[in-house]
Amino acid sequence: MKPQIHHFLCSIFLLLQLFSVNSWRPWPNTITNITSRTSHTAADLEFGSSKKFEGSSEFVDLKYHMGPVMTSSITVHIIWYGKWLPSQKRIIREFINSISDESVPAPSVAGWWKTVQLYTDQTGANISRVVRIGSEKNDRFYSHGKSLTRLSVQSVIKSFITARTKPLPINPKNGIYLLLTGPDVYVQDFCQQVCGFHYFTFPSIVGYTLPYAWVGNSAKLCPGVCAYPFAVPTYIPGLKPMKAPNGDIGVEGMISVIAHEIAELATNPLVNAWYAGPDPIAPVEIADLCEGIYGTGGGGSYTGQLSEGHDGATFNMNGIRRRFLVQWVWNHVVNYCTGPNALDQ
């Protein structure tokens, strides 16, 4: 490759990295928040403060752009970066394992995933029903420090797929590489613009093109931003937080973000498949369209109608052994946000 071409491609890679898909933005989405973001799109401004699009489907221009989607069994490889309690890992593992378990009574996580399964590739093949956990790696000693940039997130992934002992398997077609950072780790734009993001790794950095996501534990840094409604923003006086069903505000705030990222990676792994808006660098994806909606009537500052357990905890779907609160996703068949706990189903 000529040096000039090499330098040009490297510049393009770096530019794209600055615009990795911010698939989860802090709640609540107000006009002030939207206009202050550096990565907003025309669609963000058009939709305004409400992320509820039921009855407003004519404004949603979700299209398939002919790129690949994950139609074979999806394997989630997890990197636990920083310090994690065994109980915290169990909550996250049980959520991911619940995606494919159709034996769980409704409303279930598997029922939520059925909306994601409606999406197809150009051959008409649907998103896989099977989502399972693959290999896991621990980085207790913060190999890349406690402050990560978007580029260094890819470097962390590289270190584990190239590890000398038990490296993570290379699965570019249907693998998801999920980097989860502990509560004392800061990632670029965390709490300010995003609670998690997804993109794909660059061969120039990692050696492969692999769909990946990062999600952070906000318990210490910004629970009112990224763990809502189990914690509330300080600028909303009088609003009481809801009780988390599994007793860990930071981790349970992560659950909905993890769900958000996995749903969008399955339907838009290389940012050229399912999204709305004119710009593939900053697309509006199937979970972005339903941000903040957890139940019927949700939108804006209202989560929607949820369930409450005997212990007073709030949830909207059942997992294998636990209950979870997970945002809805966009259903392109009926053109509005749907979830397994919808009252009109």
Side-chain angles (χ1 to χ4, degrees):
M1 181 181 293
K2 294 181 179 180
Q4 299 95 322
I5 297 175
H6 174 76
H7 291 314
F8 174 76
L9 290 176
C10 289
S11 298
I12 293 297
F13 286 148
L14 290 172
L15 178 63
L16 286 174
Q17 180 59 22
L18 295 175
F19 294 97
S20 49
V21 183
N22 299 331
S23 299
W24 180 267
R25 302 182 179 92
W27 184 97
N29 290 295
T30 64
I31 290 295
T32 302
N33 285 344
I34 290 174
T35 55
S36 66
R37 290 202 305 265
T38 58
S39 58
H40 63 261
T41 68
D44 285 323
L45 300 176
E46 180 182 10
F47 295 147
S49 61
S50 175
K51 289 294 183 181
K52 170 139 177 88
F53 298 105
E54 294 182 11
S56 303
S57 59
E58 67 270 18
F59 295 115
V60 177
D61 188 27
L62 184 74
K63 292 181 179 179
Y64 177 50
H65 296 81
M66 305 304 288
V69 300
M70 295 186 176
T71 57
S72 301
S73 296
I74 299 168
T75 303
V76 181
H77 303 292
I78 305 176
I79 299 172
W80 304 97
Y81 192 90
K83 296 178 181 178
W84 290 89
L85 298 173
S87 59
Q88 295 177 318
K89 290 182 177 182
R90 282 195 296 270
I91 295 171
I92 292 172
R93 287 193 193 108
E94 289 186 20
F95 170 73
I96 297 174
N97 286 330
S98 295
I99 293 175
S100 298
D101 195 328
E102 297 185 344
S103 68
V104 175
S108 67
V109 177
W112 167 83
W113 186 253
K114 285 183 178 179
T115 299
V116 181
Q117 286 180 253
L118 293 173
Y119 290 85
T120 62
D121 65 10
Q122 55 187 299
T123 71
N126 292 82
I127 300 293
S128 174
R129 180 184 65 82
V130 178
V131 180
R132 62 185 180 86
I133 296 176
S135 299
E136 299 181 44
K137 300 292 282 188
N138 295 289
D139 194 337
R140 302 181 185 88
F141 301 107
Y142 311 92
S143 63
H144 289 68
K146 292 187 176 182
S147 182
L148 304 176
T149 65
R150 291 175 182 256
L151 281 177
S152 63
V153 164
Q154 294 201 21
S155 297
V156 173
I157 295 171
K158 177 184 178 179
S159 67
F160 286 104
I161 66 171
T162 60
R164 292 184 179 180
T165 58
K166 297 182 179 179
L168 291 178
I170 307 300
N171 185 1
K173 185 177 180 181
N174 286 291
I176 289 176
Y177 296 80
L178 183 61
L179 176 63
L180 304 177
T181 52
D184 56 349
V185 179
Y186 175 76
V187 176
Q188 182 180 351
D189 297 327
F190 191 22
C191 299
Q192 301 170 28
Q193 296 181 24
V194 295
C195 304
F197 58 74
H198 77 85
Y199 210 57
F200 53 85
T201 62
F202 300 138
S204 60
I205 297 175
V206 179
Y208 304 89
T209 300
L210 305 172
Y212 77 93
W214 157 76
V215 179
N217 186 327
S218 66
K220 292 183 179 179
L221 296 174
C222 58
V225 175
C226 293
Y228 178 86
F230 304 126
V232 297
T234 56
Y235 53 79
I236 306 182
L239 183 64
K240 294 182 179 180
M242 297 179 181
K243 184 177 179 180
N246 299 292
D248 191 310
I249 291 173
V251 170
E252 295 190 73
M254 295 178 73
I255 291 295
S256 191
V257 188
I258 291 170
H260 183 123
E261 304 302 339
I262 290 177
E264 292 187 340
L265 278 169
T267 55
N268 197 29
L270 300 182
V271 200
N272 61 357
W274 289 95
Y275 64 85
D279 191 353
I281 293 178
V284 179
E285 300 171 291
I286 70 165
D288 296 325
L289 290 168
C290 303
E291 214 170 285
I293 299 175
Y294 300 85
T296 300
S301 60
Y302 178 53
T303 58
Q305 296 192 32
L306 307 176
S307 298
E308 187 174 293
H310 296 300
D311 59 354
T314 301
F315 66 97
N316 67 346
M317 57 188 74
N318 298 307
I320 297 171
R321 286 175 293 272
R322 300 172 185 270
R323 292 168 171 173
F324 301 101
L325 183 66
V326 178
Q327 71 151 100
W328 287 6
V329 291
W330 184 261
N331 184 325
H332 72 300
V333 176
V334 295
N335 279 333
Y336 55 81
C337 299
T338 58
N341 60 316
L343 297 181
D344 57 352
Q345 292 187 151

